[in-house]
Amino acid sequence: GEPVPLAQGLLQRLEASIVFEDKALIVINKPAGIAVHGGSGLTFGVIEAFRQLRPDCKELELVHRLDRDTSGLLMIAKKRSMLRHLHTALRGDGVDKRYMALVRGSWASSIKQVRASLGKSNLRSGERMVEVDEEEGKESVTVFKVLRRFGDFATLIEAKPITGRTHQIRVHTLHAGHCIAGDTKYGEEGFSKEIRDLGGKRLFLHAYMLTVPLPDGSELKLQAPVDEMWAKTVERLSAPI
């Protein structure tokens, strides 16, 4: 059958979220709360929306994924050749992806890397959780640095995943003793509530920087700003009480 027409509002938001587009690639600054593709009760996601926004592009595919509640840079290939090129780059170390996260407590500057193997387990509800599993898990590495401190209460950090496992950054920050604000799966409700009270009603994980090699040998470097809710929350955090 015909695809279900998506809400105009969502299509407009996604069209407005494009930060780069050429004949082979689209990169968007995905808003928090929008799934990358339909399934599990959702009839649509980013990829379904772009198939309606770009009906002439018959080969649109997601290059990689972002969790539904994570915002930031997401690549969508318009051509198979670009998809293959980027998958090869992602498997090697050609792609540099960096995220910002607001975490609980004071992140020690000495924690520059977390190396902890990750395995999946299923909750009774059918939801997927990821946990550190040194026996059976897949090797996973994330490099961290402190961007800004908010006393002992919270730290804004940069996370650069070297491997690309499901929920990797969320589980690695937790493993280091600092959960991410607004993380309903791996977070801490008291901390998340304090951030919510400042207006931060979202997961504070944002893919803000991306460097990718293009097939012609050039390099695409992109940055995506955080949304207004994130910006205002951080402003309130830094205001003297």
Side-chain angles (χ1 to χ4, degrees):
E2 279 296 292
V4 183
L6 298 178
Q8 244 358 81
L10 176 77
L11 291 175
Q12 283 162 355
R13 267 182 90 192
L14 287 173
E15 181 81 56
S17 75
I18 296 171
V19 291
F20 173 86
E21 183 170 9
D22 67 8
K23 59 187 189 300
L25 181 66
I26 298 172
V27 186
I28 68 167
N29 181 4
K30 184 187 84 65
I34 297 177
V36 293
H37 64 72
S40 62
L42 298 162
T43 48
F44 65 84
V46 167
I47 191 66
E48 289 82 3
F50 273 95
R51 284 178 181 144
Q52 290 194 26
L53 287 166
R54 298 286 182 275
D56 298 342
C57 299
K58 300 299 181 203
E59 301 182 329
L60 277 184
E61 294 289 349
L62 289 165
V63 175
H64 58 111
R65 295 180 179 206
L66 286 179
D67 295 341
R68 181 180 181 166
D69 297 322
T70 302
S71 55
L73 292 164
L74 179 71
M75 295 183 276
I76 302 162
K78 292 162 92 170
K79 297 198 156 133
R80 297 273 153 159
S81 55
M82 179 58 93
L83 185 69
R84 283 195 297 270
H85 167 80
L86 291 173
H87 277 169
T88 304
L90 282 161
R91 275 198 299 275
D93 51 12
V95 177
D96 185 344
K97 280 194 228 160
R98 300 190 188 214
Y99 293 73
M100 271 190 255
L102 182 69
V103 300
R104 179 187 179 196
S106 177
W107 183 282
S109 299
S110 58
I111 307 175
K112 292 186 172 36
Q113 182 176 298
V114 171
R115 185 182 286 268
S117 296
L118 298 177
K120 295 190 175 81
S121 66
N122 285 319
L123 293 177
R124 282 185 297 277
S125 62
E127 267 207 283
R128 207 187 228 173
M129 288 286 280
V130 173
E131 50 198 15
V132 171
D133 179 351
E134 296 297 2
E135 300 293 304
E136 307 273 305
K138 291 183 172 167
E139 189 187 27
S140 308
V141 183
T142 313
V143 173
F144 291 100
K145 75 176 185 201
V146 171
L147 297 176
R148 191 168 174 193
R149 296 183 183 282
F150 303 98
D152 289 334
F153 176 61
T155 313
L156 187 65
I157 57 171
E158 178 190 273
K160 177 185 173 179
I162 306 299
T163 49
R165 315 280 177 226
T166 304
H167 299 174
Q168 176 172 318
I169 295 170
R170 294 161 67 178
V171 179
H172 275 177
T173 57
L174 178 66
H175 187 65
H178 303 273
C179 58
I180 298 178
D183 192 337
T184 52
K185 268 194 177 179
Y186 306 102
E188 195 272 314
E189 185 44 41
F191 174 62
S192 290
K193 185 182 182 308
E194 288 185 87
I195 297 296
R196 268 203 309 280
D197 290 346
L198 293 170
K201 301 175 174 69
R202 57 159 296 173
L203 171 71
F204 278 77
L205 182 59
H206 174 68
Y208 83 105
M209 208 154 74
L210 182 64
T211 307
V212 285
L214 295 176
D216 66 3
S218 68
E219 216 174 39
L220 178 64
K221 281 178 105 91
L222 296 170
Q223 286 207 34
V226 294
D227 63 22
E228 195 181 357
M229 180 188 283
W230 178 311
K232 288 209 150 100
T233 304
V234 166
E235 223 174 275
R236 289 182 191 121
L237 264 179
S238 51
I241 294 156

